[in-house]
Short mmCIF file of all heavy atoms in Angstrom, two decimals:
data_model
loop_
_atom_site.label_atom_id
_atom_site.label_comp_id
_atom_site.label_asym_id
_atom_site.label_seq_id
_atom_site.Cartn_x
_atom_site.Cartn_y
_atom_site.Cartn_z
N ALA A 19 0.86 -1.13 0.07
CA ALA A 19 0.01 -0.04 0.02
C ALA A 19 0.89 1.24 -0.02
O ALA A 19 1.83 1.36 0.78
CB ALA A 19 -0.79 0.11 1.20
N SER A 20 0.59 2.15 -0.83
CA SER A 20 1.31 3.43 -0.87
C SER A 20 0.79 4.38 0.05
O SER A 20 -0.45 4.52 0.25
CB SER A 20 1.37 3.96 -2.43
OG SER A 20 0.12 4.33 -2.73
N MET A 21 1.61 5.21 0.51
CA MET A 21 1.27 6.38 1.33
C MET A 21 0.71 7.50 0.67
O MET A 21 0.87 7.59 -0.58
CB MET A 21 2.51 6.99 2.08
CG MET A 21 3.11 6.08 3.21
SD MET A 21 4.53 6.85 3.95
CE MET A 21 3.98 8.30 4.52
N ALA A 22 -0.20 8.20 1.32
CA ALA A 22 -0.90 9.40 0.59
C ALA A 22 0.18 10.36 0.24
O ALA A 22 1.21 10.57 0.90
CB ALA A 22 -1.87 9.98 1.52
N GLU A 23 0.06 10.90 -1.02
CA GLU A 23 0.98 11.96 -1.41
C GLU A 23 1.04 13.13 -0.48
O GLU A 23 0.05 13.58 0.04
CB GLU A 23 0.57 12.40 -2.85
CG GLU A 23 1.48 13.28 -3.50
CD GLU A 23 1.15 13.65 -4.92
OE1 GLU A 23 1.12 12.67 -5.84
OE2 GLU A 23 0.59 14.63 -5.11
N ILE A 24 2.34 13.72 -0.26
CA ILE A 24 2.41 14.89 0.56
C ILE A 24 1.89 16.13 -0.30
O ILE A 24 2.32 16.33 -1.36
CB ILE A 24 3.87 15.10 0.91
CG1 ILE A 24 4.32 13.90 1.85
CG2 ILE A 24 4.09 16.47 1.66
CD1 ILE A 24 5.73 13.99 2.18
N ALA A 25 0.93 16.67 0.24
CA ALA A 25 0.26 17.78 -0.35
C ALA A 25 1.11 19.06 -0.48
O ALA A 25 1.89 19.40 0.42
CB ALA A 25 -1.05 18.18 0.36
N SER A 26 0.87 19.84 -1.44
CA SER A 26 1.59 21.08 -1.68
C SER A 26 1.29 22.06 -0.58
O SER A 26 0.12 22.05 -0.13
CB SER A 26 1.12 21.74 -2.93
OG SER A 26 1.61 23.17 -3.03
N PRO A 27 2.24 22.81 0.00
CA PRO A 27 2.00 23.80 1.00
C PRO A 27 1.43 25.11 0.41
O PRO A 27 1.31 26.11 1.18
CB PRO A 27 3.31 24.04 1.68
CG PRO A 27 4.27 23.84 0.35
CD PRO A 27 3.64 22.64 -0.36
N CYS A 28 1.19 25.18 -0.80
CA CYS A 28 0.59 26.42 -1.34
C CYS A 28 -0.69 26.85 -0.77
O CYS A 28 -1.54 26.07 -0.49
CB CYS A 28 0.29 26.13 -2.89
SG CYS A 28 -0.47 27.65 -3.69
N ARG A 29 -0.75 28.16 -0.46
CA ARG A 29 -1.89 28.68 0.33
C ARG A 29 -2.69 29.67 -0.40
O ARG A 29 -3.45 30.33 0.11
CB ARG A 29 -1.45 29.28 1.64
CG ARG A 29 -0.70 28.28 2.52
CD ARG A 29 -0.03 28.76 3.68
NE ARG A 29 -0.69 29.75 4.49
CZ ARG A 29 -0.24 30.92 4.90
NH1 ARG A 29 0.96 31.25 4.72
NH2 ARG A 29 -1.03 31.82 5.57
N LEU A 30 -2.34 29.67 -1.80
CA LEU A 30 -3.09 30.60 -2.73
C LEU A 30 -2.81 31.99 -2.38
O LEU A 30 -3.61 32.91 -2.47
CB LEU A 30 -4.41 30.32 -2.91
CG LEU A 30 -4.85 28.92 -3.25
CD1 LEU A 30 -6.31 28.71 -3.33
CD2 LEU A 30 -4.19 28.58 -4.75
N LEU A 31 -1.62 32.34 -1.70
CA LEU A 31 -1.29 33.63 -1.36
C LEU A 31 0.18 33.95 -1.96
O LEU A 31 0.99 34.53 -1.36
CB LEU A 31 -0.99 33.78 0.24
CG LEU A 31 -2.32 33.46 1.01
CD1 LEU A 31 -1.95 33.50 2.59
CD2 LEU A 31 -3.33 34.58 0.83
N CYS A 32 0.22 33.62 -3.35
CA CYS A 32 1.41 33.69 -4.02
C CYS A 32 1.89 35.08 -4.21
O CYS A 32 1.31 35.98 -4.63
CB CYS A 32 1.31 33.05 -5.31
SG CYS A 32 0.54 31.36 -5.28
N SER A 33 3.14 35.36 -3.70
CA SER A 33 3.78 36.61 -3.88
C SER A 33 5.25 36.52 -3.62
O SER A 33 5.72 35.81 -2.79
CB SER A 33 3.22 37.64 -2.86
OG SER A 33 3.90 38.87 -2.89
N LEU A 34 6.08 37.01 -4.51
CA LEU A 34 7.48 36.80 -4.43
C LEU A 34 8.10 37.94 -3.51
O LEU A 34 7.65 38.97 -3.51
CB LEU A 34 8.11 36.92 -5.80
CG LEU A 34 7.70 35.81 -6.83
CD1 LEU A 34 8.45 36.06 -8.09
CD2 LEU A 34 8.12 34.50 -6.33
N ASP A 35 9.14 37.54 -2.80
CA ASP A 35 9.87 38.51 -2.00
C ASP A 35 10.60 39.45 -2.95
O ASP A 35 10.54 39.38 -4.15
CB ASP A 35 10.78 37.77 -1.11
CG ASP A 35 12.04 37.15 -1.84
OD1 ASP A 35 12.08 37.01 -2.97
OD2 ASP A 35 13.03 36.92 -1.08
N ARG A 36 11.33 40.41 -2.32
CA ARG A 36 12.06 41.46 -3.07
C ARG A 36 13.12 40.93 -4.00
O ARG A 36 13.62 41.64 -4.83
CB ARG A 36 12.43 42.59 -2.18
CG ARG A 36 13.51 42.23 -1.15
CD ARG A 36 13.88 43.56 -0.27
NE ARG A 36 14.91 43.04 0.73
CZ ARG A 36 14.53 42.54 1.91
NH1 ARG A 36 13.23 42.50 2.16
NH2 ARG A 36 15.55 42.26 2.75
N THR A 37 13.58 39.70 -3.70
CA THR A 37 14.65 39.23 -4.60
C THR A 37 14.06 38.46 -5.67
O THR A 37 14.84 37.85 -6.53
CB THR A 37 15.69 38.24 -3.67
OG1 THR A 37 14.90 37.16 -3.31
CG2 THR A 37 16.19 38.96 -2.60
N ALA A 38 12.85 38.17 -5.82
CA ALA A 38 12.12 37.45 -6.68
C ALA A 38 12.61 35.88 -6.64
O ALA A 38 12.60 35.34 -7.71
CB ALA A 38 12.15 38.06 -8.11
N THR A 39 12.99 35.48 -5.38
CA THR A 39 13.52 34.05 -5.31
C THR A 39 12.46 33.25 -4.49
O THR A 39 12.25 32.09 -4.72
CB THR A 39 14.76 34.15 -4.57
OG1 THR A 39 15.71 35.01 -5.30
CG2 THR A 39 15.38 32.74 -4.38
N TRP A 40 11.82 33.82 -3.49
CA TRP A 40 11.00 33.07 -2.51
C TRP A 40 9.50 33.51 -2.62
O TRP A 40 9.34 34.69 -2.67
CB TRP A 40 11.51 33.30 -1.09
CG TRP A 40 12.95 32.93 -1.00
CD1 TRP A 40 14.01 33.84 -0.93
CD2 TRP A 40 13.57 31.76 -0.78
NE1 TRP A 40 15.23 33.18 -0.74
CE2 TRP A 40 14.92 31.82 -0.68
CE3 TRP A 40 12.97 30.38 -0.75
CZ2 TRP A 40 15.86 30.75 -0.53
CZ3 TRP A 40 13.87 29.34 -0.64
CH2 TRP A 40 15.26 29.57 -0.57
N CYS A 41 8.58 32.56 -2.44
CA CYS A 41 7.22 32.90 -2.31
C CYS A 41 6.92 33.22 -0.85
O CYS A 41 7.25 32.47 0.04
CB CYS A 41 6.33 31.71 -2.68
SG CYS A 41 4.63 32.03 -2.47
N THR A 42 6.48 34.45 -0.57
CA THR A 42 6.20 34.76 0.77
C THR A 42 4.90 34.16 1.42
O THR A 42 4.67 34.21 2.50
CB THR A 42 6.07 36.36 0.93
OG1 THR A 42 4.98 36.86 0.24
CG2 THR A 42 7.37 37.06 0.66
N GLY A 43 4.17 33.54 0.53
CA GLY A 43 2.95 32.76 0.88
C GLY A 43 3.18 31.43 1.49
O GLY A 43 2.71 30.94 2.59
N CYS A 44 4.06 30.64 0.78
CA CYS A 44 4.28 29.21 1.17
C CYS A 44 5.86 29.11 1.75
O CYS A 44 6.04 28.04 2.34
CB CYS A 44 4.05 28.34 0.12
SG CYS A 44 5.13 28.29 -1.35
N GLY A 45 6.77 30.02 1.34
CA GLY A 45 8.03 29.88 1.74
C GLY A 45 8.99 29.11 0.81
O GLY A 45 10.15 28.97 1.14
N ARG A 46 8.47 28.59 -0.34
CA ARG A 46 9.23 27.86 -1.17
C ARG A 46 10.02 28.73 -2.27
O ARG A 46 9.45 29.78 -2.47
CB ARG A 46 8.45 26.77 -2.00
CG ARG A 46 7.94 25.74 -1.12
CD ARG A 46 6.95 24.78 -1.86
NE ARG A 46 5.82 25.49 -2.38
CZ ARG A 46 4.99 25.01 -3.35
NH1 ARG A 46 5.21 23.76 -3.78
NH2 ARG A 46 3.88 25.59 -3.68
N SER A 47 11.04 28.25 -2.73
CA SER A 47 11.74 28.85 -3.95
C SER A 47 10.92 28.63 -5.16
O SER A 47 10.23 27.68 -5.24
CB SER A 47 13.18 28.49 -3.96
OG SER A 47 13.26 27.16 -4.42
N LEU A 48 11.26 29.56 -6.20
CA LEU A 48 10.55 29.24 -7.36
C LEU A 48 11.07 27.77 -7.99
O LEU A 48 10.14 27.06 -8.58
CB LEU A 48 11.03 30.26 -8.45
CG LEU A 48 10.46 31.71 -8.18
CD1 LEU A 48 10.87 32.58 -9.20
CD2 LEU A 48 8.82 31.64 -8.09
N ASP A 49 12.27 27.43 -7.78
CA ASP A 49 12.68 26.09 -8.17
C ASP A 49 12.06 24.97 -7.51
O ASP A 49 11.62 23.97 -8.12
CB ASP A 49 14.21 25.96 -8.04
CG ASP A 49 15.07 26.77 -9.04
OD1 ASP A 49 14.50 27.19 -10.09
OD2 ASP A 49 16.09 26.96 -8.74
N GLU A 50 11.76 25.20 -6.21
CA GLU A 50 10.94 24.03 -5.38
C GLU A 50 9.61 24.11 -5.84
O GLU A 50 9.02 23.03 -5.97
CB GLU A 50 11.01 24.38 -3.93
CG GLU A 50 12.48 24.22 -3.39
CD GLU A 50 12.60 24.82 -1.96
OE1 GLU A 50 11.87 25.69 -1.52
OE2 GLU A 50 13.54 24.39 -1.35
N ILE A 51 9.02 25.22 -6.21
CA ILE A 51 7.49 25.18 -6.57
C ILE A 51 7.47 24.47 -7.94
O ILE A 51 6.59 23.62 -8.18
CB ILE A 51 7.05 26.69 -6.77
CG1 ILE A 51 6.86 27.21 -5.42
CG2 ILE A 51 5.68 26.75 -7.54
CD1 ILE A 51 6.60 28.67 -5.43
N ALA A 52 8.41 24.82 -8.88
CA ALA A 52 8.36 24.12 -10.25
C ALA A 52 8.65 22.63 -10.23
O ALA A 52 8.02 21.94 -10.96
CB ALA A 52 9.51 24.78 -11.14
N ALA A 53 9.43 22.25 -9.21
CA ALA A 53 9.84 20.86 -9.04
C ALA A 53 8.90 20.00 -8.19
O ALA A 53 8.94 18.84 -8.23
CB ALA A 53 11.13 20.64 -8.47
N TRP A 54 7.88 20.63 -7.55
CA TRP A 54 7.00 19.92 -6.62
C TRP A 54 6.33 18.78 -7.27
O TRP A 54 6.23 17.69 -6.41
CB TRP A 54 6.04 20.95 -6.01
CG TRP A 54 5.33 20.28 -4.80
CD1 TRP A 54 4.01 19.76 -4.89
CD2 TRP A 54 5.73 20.20 -3.46
NE1 TRP A 54 3.68 19.19 -3.63
CE2 TRP A 54 4.64 19.57 -2.75
CE3 TRP A 54 6.88 20.60 -2.76
CZ2 TRP A 54 4.81 19.33 -1.40
CZ3 TRP A 54 6.96 20.37 -1.53
CH2 TRP A 54 5.88 19.78 -0.81
N GLN A 55 5.71 18.91 -8.32
CA GLN A 55 5.02 17.79 -8.91
C GLN A 55 5.71 16.50 -9.24
O GLN A 55 5.28 15.35 -9.09
CB GLN A 55 4.27 18.27 -10.20
CG GLN A 55 3.08 19.24 -10.09
CD GLN A 55 1.97 18.60 -9.01
OE1 GLN A 55 1.74 17.43 -9.24
NE2 GLN A 55 1.63 19.47 -8.23
N SER A 56 7.02 16.68 -9.51
CA SER A 56 7.92 15.52 -9.79
C SER A 56 8.69 15.07 -8.49
O SER A 56 9.39 13.99 -8.70
CB SER A 56 8.86 15.83 -10.97
OG SER A 56 9.58 16.90 -10.73
N ALA A 57 8.67 15.83 -7.51
CA ALA A 57 9.46 15.51 -6.28
C ALA A 57 8.88 14.37 -5.55
O ALA A 57 7.71 14.18 -5.42
CB ALA A 57 9.52 16.68 -5.34
N GLY A 58 9.68 13.44 -5.01
CA GLY A 58 9.28 12.39 -4.24
C GLY A 58 8.97 12.80 -2.81
O GLY A 58 9.24 14.00 -2.45
N ASP A 59 8.42 11.99 -1.94
CA ASP A 59 7.94 12.29 -0.68
C ASP A 59 9.19 12.75 0.16
O ASP A 59 9.03 13.63 0.95
CB ASP A 59 7.24 11.11 -0.02
CG ASP A 59 5.78 10.98 -0.48
OD1 ASP A 59 5.37 11.80 -1.25
OD2 ASP A 59 5.28 9.89 -0.11
N GLY A 60 10.29 12.10 0.08
CA GLY A 60 11.47 12.59 0.88
C GLY A 60 11.93 14.06 0.54
O GLY A 60 12.08 14.81 1.46
N GLU A 61 11.95 14.38 -0.77
CA GLU A 61 12.20 15.77 -1.18
C GLU A 61 11.18 16.73 -0.66
O GLU A 61 11.44 17.85 -0.29
CB GLU A 61 12.30 15.74 -2.67
CG GLU A 61 13.33 15.03 -3.31
CD GLU A 61 13.30 15.03 -4.87
OE1 GLU A 61 12.55 14.15 -5.36
OE2 GLU A 61 13.81 15.85 -5.58
N ARG A 62 9.94 16.32 -0.70
CA ARG A 62 8.85 17.21 -0.38
C ARG A 62 8.98 17.42 1.15
O ARG A 62 8.71 18.58 1.62
CB ARG A 62 7.37 16.65 -0.68
CG ARG A 62 7.16 16.56 -2.12
CD ARG A 62 5.83 16.03 -2.51
NE ARG A 62 5.61 16.17 -3.94
CZ ARG A 62 4.46 15.89 -4.44
NH1 ARG A 62 3.32 15.51 -3.67
NH2 ARG A 62 4.24 15.95 -5.69
N GLN A 63 9.10 16.40 1.93
CA GLN A 63 9.23 16.59 3.44
C GLN A 63 10.38 17.43 3.78
O GLN A 63 10.31 18.17 4.65
CB GLN A 63 9.36 15.17 4.03
CG GLN A 63 9.20 15.35 5.56
CD GLN A 63 7.86 15.89 6.02
OE1 GLN A 63 6.79 15.42 5.60
NE2 GLN A 63 7.85 16.93 6.87
N ALA A 64 11.55 17.33 3.09
CA ALA A 64 12.64 18.07 3.34
C ALA A 64 12.39 19.64 3.07
O ALA A 64 12.81 20.51 3.85
CB ALA A 64 13.92 17.66 2.43
N ILE A 65 11.56 19.81 2.09
CA ILE A 65 11.24 21.24 1.85
C ILE A 65 10.23 21.78 2.93
O ILE A 65 10.42 22.81 3.47
CB ILE A 65 10.51 21.42 0.46
CG1 ILE A 65 11.56 21.14 -0.70
CG2 ILE A 65 9.89 22.78 0.23
CD1 ILE A 65 10.85 20.89 -2.04
N LEU A 66 9.30 20.87 3.29
CA LEU A 66 8.27 21.39 4.25
C LEU A 66 9.00 21.66 5.59
O LEU A 66 8.54 22.47 6.30
CB LEU A 66 7.23 20.19 4.52
CG LEU A 66 6.25 19.99 3.38
CD1 LEU A 66 5.32 18.83 3.66
CD2 LEU A 66 5.40 21.30 3.12
N ASP A 67 9.99 20.92 5.92
CA ASP A 67 10.74 20.97 7.24
C ASP A 67 11.36 22.38 7.37
O ASP A 67 11.77 22.87 8.40
CB ASP A 67 11.81 20.04 7.45
CG ASP A 67 11.15 18.51 7.60
OD1 ASP A 67 10.05 18.42 7.95
OD2 ASP A 67 11.84 17.55 7.48
N GLN A 68 11.68 23.06 6.16
CA GLN A 68 12.38 24.34 6.21
C GLN A 68 11.46 25.47 6.19
O GLN A 68 11.88 26.63 6.36
CB GLN A 68 13.33 24.38 4.91
CG GLN A 68 14.38 23.35 4.84
CD GLN A 68 15.22 23.37 3.55
OE1 GLN A 68 15.69 24.43 3.31
NE2 GLN A 68 15.24 22.38 2.85
N LEU A 69 10.16 25.29 5.84
CA LEU A 69 9.28 26.38 5.61
C LEU A 69 9.01 27.27 6.79
O LEU A 69 8.97 28.47 6.74
CB LEU A 69 8.02 25.83 5.07
CG LEU A 69 8.13 25.15 3.71
CD1 LEU A 69 6.68 24.86 3.17
CD2 LEU A 69 8.87 26.01 2.65
N PRO A 70 8.87 26.76 8.04
CA PRO A 70 8.58 27.63 9.18
C PRO A 70 9.59 28.67 9.43
O PRO A 70 9.35 29.86 9.56
CB PRO A 70 8.35 26.59 10.37
CG PRO A 70 7.96 25.40 9.74
CD PRO A 70 8.58 25.30 8.38
N GLU A 71 10.92 28.21 9.41
CA GLU A 71 12.06 29.10 9.55
C GLU A 71 12.09 30.06 8.28
O GLU A 71 12.36 31.25 8.58
CB GLU A 71 13.34 28.30 9.74
CG GLU A 71 14.49 29.26 9.81
CD GLU A 71 15.81 28.37 9.84
OE1 GLU A 71 15.76 27.30 10.35
OE2 GLU A 71 16.87 28.96 9.40
N ARG A 72 11.84 29.60 7.15
CA ARG A 72 11.86 30.55 5.95
C ARG A 72 10.75 31.62 6.14
O ARG A 72 10.99 32.79 5.76
CB ARG A 72 11.66 29.86 4.75
CG ARG A 72 12.86 28.88 4.20
CD ARG A 72 12.51 28.46 2.98
NE ARG A 72 13.53 27.36 2.47
CZ ARG A 72 13.38 26.59 1.52
NH1 ARG A 72 12.33 26.74 0.75
NH2 ARG A 72 14.39 25.77 1.20
N LEU A 73 9.55 31.20 6.48
CA LEU A 73 8.58 32.12 6.55
C LEU A 73 8.72 33.19 7.69
O LEU A 73 8.36 34.42 7.46
CB LEU A 73 7.07 31.43 6.91
CG LEU A 73 6.66 30.61 5.56
CD1 LEU A 73 5.53 29.69 6.00
CD2 LEU A 73 6.15 31.60 4.54
N LEU A 74 9.51 32.73 8.70
CA LEU A 74 9.84 33.68 9.74
C LEU A 74 10.66 34.69 9.15
O LEU A 74 10.55 35.95 9.53
CB LEU A 74 10.37 32.86 10.89
CG LEU A 74 10.75 33.76 12.19
CD1 LEU A 74 9.59 34.42 12.70
CD2 LEU A 74 11.42 32.85 13.16
N ARG A 75 11.75 34.29 8.48
CA ARG A 75 12.66 35.15 7.81
C ARG A 75 11.99 36.21 6.81
O ARG A 75 12.30 37.29 6.80
CB ARG A 75 13.81 34.36 7.15
CG ARG A 75 15.00 35.23 6.70
CD ARG A 75 16.20 34.38 6.36
NE ARG A 75 15.77 33.53 5.23
CZ ARG A 75 15.70 32.12 5.21
NH1 ARG A 75 16.04 31.47 6.21
NH2 ARG A 75 15.55 31.54 4.05
N LEU A 76 11.15 35.47 5.97
CA LEU A 76 10.52 36.36 4.93
C LEU A 76 9.41 37.27 5.45
O LEU A 76 9.30 38.35 5.03
CB LEU A 76 9.87 35.34 3.94
CG LEU A 76 10.85 34.55 3.09
CD1 LEU A 76 10.06 33.49 2.31
CD2 LEU A 76 11.57 35.44 1.98
N ASN A 77 8.59 36.85 6.43
CA ASN A 77 7.40 37.65 6.89
C ASN A 77 7.43 38.09 8.26
O ASN A 77 6.64 38.76 8.68
CB ASN A 77 6.18 36.68 6.73
CG ASN A 77 6.02 36.32 5.29
OD1 ASN A 77 6.06 37.11 4.36
ND2 ASN A 77 5.57 35.01 5.12
N GLY A 78 8.49 37.59 9.03
CA GLY A 78 8.53 38.00 10.40
C GLY A 78 7.48 37.39 11.37
O GLY A 78 7.30 37.87 12.46
N GLU A 79 7.07 36.26 10.89
CA GLU A 79 6.02 35.44 11.63
C GLU A 79 6.03 34.01 11.12
O GLU A 79 6.50 33.76 10.17
CB GLU A 79 4.67 36.12 11.59
CG GLU A 79 4.04 36.15 10.17
CD GLU A 79 2.73 36.90 10.18
OE1 GLU A 79 2.71 38.10 9.98
OE2 GLU A 79 1.71 36.29 10.39
N VAL A 80 5.64 33.10 12.01
CA VAL A 80 5.53 31.71 11.69
C VAL A 80 4.10 31.53 11.23
O VAL A 80 3.14 31.91 11.97
CB VAL A 80 5.97 30.81 12.85
CG1 VAL A 80 5.64 29.38 12.44
CG2 VAL A 80 7.34 31.03 13.13
N GLU A 81 3.92 30.95 10.02
CA GLU A 81 2.51 30.75 9.54
C GLU A 81 1.95 29.32 9.99
O GLU A 81 2.65 28.67 10.66
CB GLU A 81 2.56 30.78 7.99
CG GLU A 81 2.87 32.17 7.40
CD GLU A 81 1.80 33.26 7.72
OE1 GLU A 81 0.66 32.89 8.00
OE2 GLU A 81 2.11 34.41 7.70
N VAL A 82 0.86 29.12 9.70
CA VAL A 82 0.03 27.99 10.31
C VAL A 82 0.45 26.69 9.51
O VAL A 82 -0.46 26.05 8.90
CB VAL A 82 -1.47 28.19 10.17
CG1 VAL A 82 -1.81 29.18 11.28
CG2 VAL A 82 -1.87 28.65 8.90
N TYR A 83 1.64 26.15 9.69
CA TYR A 83 2.01 24.79 9.13
C TYR A 83 1.98 23.75 10.13
O TYR A 83 2.29 22.69 9.79
CB TYR A 83 3.38 25.06 8.47
CG TYR A 83 3.35 25.59 7.19
CD1 TYR A 83 4.01 26.72 6.87
CD2 TYR A 83 2.48 25.02 6.09
CE1 TYR A 83 3.90 27.40 5.64
CE2 TYR A 83 2.49 25.61 4.78
CZ TYR A 83 3.20 26.73 4.67
OH TYR A 83 3.13 27.44 3.43
N SER A 84 1.68 24.03 11.38
CA SER A 84 1.81 23.08 12.49
C SER A 84 0.88 21.90 12.19
O SER A 84 1.14 20.77 12.59
CB SER A 84 1.55 23.66 13.89
OG SER A 84 0.28 24.28 13.85
N ASP A 85 -0.25 22.13 11.52
CA ASP A 85 -1.14 21.05 11.26
C ASP A 85 -0.67 20.18 10.14
O ASP A 85 -1.17 19.03 10.14
CB ASP A 85 -2.60 21.59 10.82
CG ASP A 85 -2.48 22.53 9.73
OD1 ASP A 85 -1.39 23.14 9.51
OD2 ASP A 85 -3.60 22.61 8.90
N ILE A 86 0.23 20.56 9.34
CA ILE A 86 0.68 19.63 8.35
C ILE A 86 2.09 19.13 8.48
O ILE A 86 2.64 18.20 7.71
CB ILE A 86 0.65 20.27 6.88
CG1 ILE A 86 1.40 21.50 6.78
CG2 ILE A 86 -0.85 20.54 6.54
CD1 ILE A 86 1.60 21.86 5.29
N LEU A 87 2.87 19.58 9.45
CA LEU A 87 4.18 19.15 9.61
C LEU A 87 4.33 18.08 10.60
O LEU A 87 3.29 17.84 11.50
CB LEU A 87 5.07 20.32 10.10
CG LEU A 87 5.22 21.42 9.18
CD1 LEU A 87 6.03 22.62 9.75
CD2 LEU A 87 5.91 21.05 7.90
#
């Protein structure tokens, strides 16, 4: 039996930071967003693990990822 696919952290609040590198809505880089569909669960989890710290750096607050991490 296969595990359920790890869902995208996209929150439909897409906006790039001033460097045009990071989405301030989900915390992913443009490369991570582009690669998400083909990424395996391990890659996806590694990205998810970094998002709270990134969002804190990008937005000055930790967003509501506690329910999916």
Side-chain angles (χ1 to χ4, degrees):
S20 64
M21 290 180 52
E23 187 175 283
I24 295 176
S26 169
C28 179
R29 298 167 50 221
L30 303 177
L31 299 172
C32 308
S33 178
L34 295 179
D35 73 339
R36 66 180 174 273
T37 68
T39 304
W40 306 99
C41 175
T42 60
C44 70
R46 294 178 294 168
S47 70
L48 292 180
D49 289 342
E50 289 168 343
I51 293 168
W54 188 264
Q55 289 302 316
S56 60
D59 283 349
E61 293 171 277
R62 289 181 178 192
Q63 189 60 54
I65 293 168
L66 288 177
D67 290 345
Q68 298 176 59
L69 298 185
E71 181 181 326
R72 285 185 190 170
L73 287 167
L74 182 61
R75 190 171 63 242
L76 290 167
N77 300 318
E79 60 187 91
V80 175
E81 295 292 341
V82 288
Y83 282 115
S84 58
D85 59 330
I86 62 170
L87 294 178

